[in-house]
Amino acid sequence: RLQEVPHDMRQKETLTPALIRTVAEWSIQAEAHFGSPQDVEWAVSGGEFFMLQSRAITVLGKKDVGEGIDEPYVIFKPLLENFTDPLTPISQDGISLLFAPPLIRLISGWTYLSVKHIRKLLPIRASDQDVASTLYDMNLREPGKLSLPKLPFFSCMMLLAYFAAGVLFARTRRMPDSFMDSYRALCEKVDNDPTLSPVETFERLFSWSHFLEPIGHHAIFINLTSMRYILGMDILKSLVRRWAPNIREDAEALLCSGTDGVLSAEMGRGIWALAKEAKRHPSVRRLFETIRPENVLAELGREPEAETFLKQLDHFLRINGHRALKELELQSSRWEEDPAPVLGMIRNYLLIESDPSEHEKKIEVTRKELEATIRENLRKYPLERRFSIRWRLIRYVADRTKFFTKMRENSRFYHIMGFYCIRKKILHIESELMTQRKLRCKDDIFYLRLKEIERMQAGELDWQHVEDRIRNRRMAHIRLSKTLPPKTVGMGMESSPETPADMDTAVVFHGLPASPGSYEGVARVILDPSIDIELRPGEILVAPYTDPAWTPLFLTAGAAVIEIGSYLSHAGTVAREFGMPCVVDLADCTKRIHTGVRIQVDGDKGIVRLLADDDMGNDSG
């Protein structure tokens, strides 16, 4: 059986230093006795150590990730920067339904892009190394030389892509904020149809076959078309630097921030509103401060003063209940199923006396001052004084970029709703199979393949057929989850020349700039916001990755440093929206930087500096 562990105990140390030494000593003795590395099994009862068995270790014989693959692949970073764990087998099957080979390949649960096939599509002469670096960084450093023999094929491919996606581009060019609301109704309709299997649900919610339906029904394709904002940002930067060259470095990011209606940002503000409601009632606040998040909901139900709060929480979950940590993984429990992460965030906000919205107001003032400065710079052009031609062009490009940025974040909000719909179908099947004793433990089903589930429903497989498969896949998933996947498979990839050779002794760490500005403050390392959620106002968030479920933390942080990410990642997008510096793709930052250490984050250059005692001053933004 599997025993549920409370949230606040999941990262608590289970072994004392003395016990760790005992285990290590017995392991060394076993290896010396048998003459090879040993897989040692042991137990503790009543504080006494018992050696159970020792056998030749088998893990060392297992292949490394990608071993035996000769073709070059690079990790699909947009998925990795949302969570670093490998996908469970059932989620791998779901991704395979969305993205077909040969461009995409799943390796040990992680999604990789084929460098060879993508290089063949590009009309330039570029090495595998150049293509891999570009795909990983999401930034074309060297465009390479044009290859004339490849140009006709590339032109045909672009023409086909235009016919395939051009209509979709046109249909999403100018839409109101509410145009994807119909996707919620579609998900409810699919959810209420018991005849649809998980595979059929995937097809109904994410397939091109329903292309003629309202555009709001195609959330995942809308997400892909919204990438137009990358081009908008490049054009805006070119215009601003050409016509106002001495303007502040974060001008483009400021001009494209402050967008109303970004649903992930509204979600964070919704949690802050719940915290304010809890503050109004001393008894409600006391419950949050004394009871663990996973238990506080039951106590709130018995508290008369919590009635308004609970109604507000219910409304929040009706809108955002499909969200989750690691929400692209079908195994991840949703807030509607378990609101403990939301209640933990509310508890965190109860520790804050200041209003996070004050920071947003300051950014709005800064943005207006910037716009006034740009317009003043443009007055040196004769026609500008009369017609404001250049300013109108800058404003137009900035507005278009903001529109597509918001579309990208909001379409993610909706297509995750589709993933939750599929999860509910899977959970319904799991319940049936557990009733029939074909499955024994909660979440076992996520370690099966879709075809295996269909065979179990048809009576072709039973528990004895899948028991070993599930156990072995669970163990492999746990083992792989403790490591980061290699950036490339079947090839090497050079490190950035800016990366220090010895990160352990370096005072300055180099990542990628994601949101401009400079900030000094105290670091707070958070590995899982459902467990170690406490982030004090002005502290610098240091995290392995972020997805929209982390957004509330950005309301109180002074800056962010993220281990996996890019300029286009969720962390960078939200940080720019809130006007806070952010550095991403800083390797091992959650290990190199410790909670309580004072650091400086330079979001313009992608640098994080550890500050010595005599460098420490007041926080600055």
Side-chain angles (χ1 to χ4, degrees):
R1 65 188 176 91
L2 297 177
Q3 181 68 42
E4 193 77 15
V5 178
H7 282 272
D8 62 346
M9 293 182 64
R10 293 180 184 178
Q11 293 183 11
K12 187 176 180 180
E13 293 181 356
T14 56
L15 303 181
T16 64
L19 186 54
I20 291 173
R21 282 194 297 272
T22 300
V23 173
E25 288 168 358
W26 274 96
S27 300
I28 292 171
Q29 290 181 51
E31 182 173 343
H33 177 79
F34 290 106
S36 64
Q38 296 293 297
D39 186 349
V40 176
E41 294 186 9
W42 49 271
V44 176
S45 178
E48 186 177 357
F49 176 86
F50 293 89
M51 183 75 157
L52 302 181
Q53 75 168 356
S54 179
R55 57 187 177 186
I57 197 165
T58 57
V59 173
L60 291 179
K62 293 184 178 179
K63 290 184 177 181
D64 293 332
V65 175
E67 186 177 336
I69 297 177
D70 296 328
E71 289 187 13
Y73 290 89
V74 63
I75 193 79
F76 184 45
K77 197 174 182 184
L79 188 59
L80 183 69
E81 63 195 16
N82 284 282
F83 65 99
T84 56
D85 293 351
L87 294 167
T88 57
I90 201 168
S91 295
Q92 293 179 45
D93 284 359
I95 292 295
S96 297
L97 291 173
L98 295 176
F99 302 104
L103 293 181
I104 297 284
R105 178 170 178 176
L106 284 155
I107 302 174
S108 299
W110 286 293
T111 308
Y112 282 80
L113 297 173
S114 171
V115 174
K116 182 182 76 171
H117 287 91
I118 292 175
R119 183 166 60 84
K120 286 180 179 179
L121 295 176
L122 297 176
I124 56 175
R125 291 194 291 271
S127 66
D128 288 346
Q129 186 71 239
D130 293 334
V131 173
S133 297
T134 297
L135 291 173
Y136 182 80
D137 293 339
M138 301 298 288
N139 180 30
L140 189 60
R141 299 174 183 172
E142 297 291 339
K145 295 182 179 179
L146 188 66
S147 174
L148 293 179
K150 289 184 176 182
L151 198 56
F153 176 74
F154 178 77
S155 300
C156 290
M157 290 295 298
M158 289 298 99
L159 186 61
L160 289 173
Y162 174 78
F163 286 127
V167 174
L168 192 60
F169 272 60
R171 293 173 74 187
T172 56
R173 188 172 58 247
R174 294 187 182 276
M175 300 295 290
D177 287 350
S178 60
F179 84 101
M180 284 182 283
D181 287 354
S182 61
Y183 195 76
R184 186 186 294 273
L186 175 62
C187 288
E188 291 175 356
K189 179 181 178 181
V190 171
D191 187 34
N192 293 328
D193 187 346
T195 65
L196 293 178
S197 69
V199 173
E200 290 169 330
T201 303
F202 262 110
E203 193 277 335
R204 183 65 186 85
L205 294 176
F206 298 120
S207 172
W208 282 102
S209 61
H210 301 278
F211 186 74
L212 296 180
E213 290 188 356
I215 186 60
H217 288 187
H218 302 282
I220 200 162
F221 298 119
I222 293 170
N223 187 269
L224 296 175
T225 66
S226 66
M227 300 301 283
R228 283 173 281 182
Y229 86 91
I230 303 172
L231 178 60
M233 186 67 77
D234 286 341
I235 294 173
L236 182 63
K237 183 176 182 179
S238 176
L239 295 178
V240 171
R241 297 303 157 191
R242 179 181 179 87
W243 293 334
N246 298 321
I247 210 70
R248 56 187 294 166
E249 292 187 17
D250 59 348
E252 300 83 17
L254 272 173
L255 289 171
C256 295
S257 64
T259 308
D260 293 330
V262 177
L263 295 177
S264 57
E266 293 298 326
M267 178 184 69
R269 296 182 187 110
I271 294 177
W272 170 245
L274 284 165
K276 288 198 293 185
E277 175 61 30
K279 280 184 178 182
R280 292 180 57 243
H281 306 285
S283 60
V284 175
R285 180 168 188 164
R286 186 169 59 253
L287 288 174
F288 271 101
E289 292 173 344
T290 57
I291 299 177
R292 291 197 300 245
E294 59 264 35
N295 299 327
V296 72
L297 190 59
E299 295 299 323
L300 288 169
R302 291 188 280 269
E303 173 55 56
E305 285 192 353
E307 181 180 357
T308 303
F309 171 85
L310 290 174
K311 288 181 179 178
Q312 195 169 330
L313 175 64
D314 184 62
H315 175 73
F316 175 87
L317 292 176
R318 282 201 303 271
I319 297 172
N320 301 286
H322 60 287
R323 306 312 297 257
L325 300 169
K326 306 177 185 178
E327 57 193 8
L328 290 171
E329 166 59 63
L330 291 173
Q331 187 187 26
S332 296
S333 179
R334 309 291 147 160
W335 290 348
E336 182 179 79
E337 302 167 327
D338 178 15
V342 175
L343 297 169
M345 294 175 195
I346 294 171
R347 181 183 181 277
N348 184 45
Y349 282 169
L350 290 175
L351 304 173
I352 302 171
E353 296 303 326
S354 60
D355 189 336
S357 65
E358 291 300 318
H359 181 66
E360 293 184 65
K361 293 176 183 177
K362 291 179 182 178
I363 294 298
E364 179 63 26
V365 172
T366 304
R367 188 181 304 109
K368 290 181 178 178
E369 291 174 350
L370 169 66
E371 291 177 356
T373 303
I374 293 176
R375 297 194 71 170
E376 187 63 33
N377 272 262
L378 296 178
R379 289 185 182 276
K380 63 185 179 182
Y381 298 98
L383 290 177
E384 185 67 24
R385 299 173 190 170
R386 185 173 180 182
F387 300 109
S388 300
I389 296 172
R390 289 173 175 81
W391 171 247
R392 290 181 183 180
L393 183 56
I394 288 174
R395 188 69 268 166
Y396 173 80
V397 176
D399 288 344
R400 289 279 78 201
T401 304
K402 288 170 67 173
F403 173 81
F404 291 120
T405 301
K406 177 167 63 175
M407 182 187 291
R408 182 172 185 260
E409 283 293 305
N410 289 357
S411 59
R412 165 74 178 265
F413 177 91
Y414 285 103
H415 74 65
I416 290 300
M417 198 178 290
F419 276 64
Y420 182 33
C421 188
I422 294 162
R423 171 178 164 81
K424 286 190 283 187
K425 297 284 185 183
I426 293 169
L427 291 178
H428 178 72
I429 295 173
E430 180 186 58
S431 178
E432 291 180 342
L433 294 176
M434 289 185 72
T435 300
Q436 299 166 12
R437 301 295 292 165
K438 293 182 178 181
L439 290 177
R440 302 296 173 86
C441 291
K442 184 174 180 268
D443 285 355
D444 272 352
I445 196 168
F446 294 100
Y447 294 90
L448 293 172
R449 299 289 183 179
L450 289 171
K451 291 292 185 183
E452 292 171 335
I453 294 171
E454 291 176 356
R455 293 183 65 190
M456 292 189 78
Q457 288 181 289
E460 298 174 14
L461 293 178
D462 211 329
W463 171 246
Q464 63 266 27
H465 301 116
V466 299
E467 179 182 7
D468 288 342
R469 301 181 198 181
I470 292 171
R471 181 185 182 279
N472 292 337
R473 289 170 187 174
R474 273 189 183 272
M475 296 301 292
H477 188 266
I478 291 170
R479 179 173 61 88
L480 290 169
S481 295
K482 295 178 180 179
T483 64
L484 283 175
K487 293 180 181 179
T488 58
V489 167
M491 63 174 291
M493 191 165 80
E494 297 173 1
S495 300
S496 169
E498 295 180 325
T499 302
D502 186 356
M503 292 289 284
D504 287 315
T505 59
V507 177
V508 177
F509 301 150
H510 292 259
L512 296 175
S515 181
S518 180
Y519 187 86
E520 293 181 13
V522 175
R524 171 74 63 173
V525 179
I526 294 182
L527 302 177
D528 184 343
S530 67
I531 301 171
D532 45 353
I533 186 64
E534 187 172 322
L535 181 73
R536 296 184 179 93
E539 288 185 326
I540 297 173
L541 171 65
V542 181
Y545 59 88
T546 70
D547 64 14
W550 292 66
T551 301
L553 295 177
F554 285 75
L555 286 172
T556 55
V561 180
I562 310 299
E563 193 163 352
I564 300 292
S566 65
Y567 185 84
L568 307 178
S569 66
H570 170 264
T573 301
V574 174
R576 292 191 297 273
E577 184 66 26
F578 290 153
M580 56 181 282
C582 180
V583 173
V584 298
D585 218 47
L586 201 162
D588 292 330
C589 65
T590 56
K591 298 176 183 176
R592 312 288 185 182
I593 302 171
H594 303 286
T595 295
V597 171
R598 194 172 184 84
I599 62 176
Q600 180 189 57
V601 178
D602 186 337
D604 298 312
K605 299 178 181 178
I607 291 174
V608 176
R609 181 176 289 104
L610 301 183
L611 299 179
D613 291 341
D614 55 359
D615 291 331
M616 295 185 181
N618 296 324
D619 290 352
S620 60

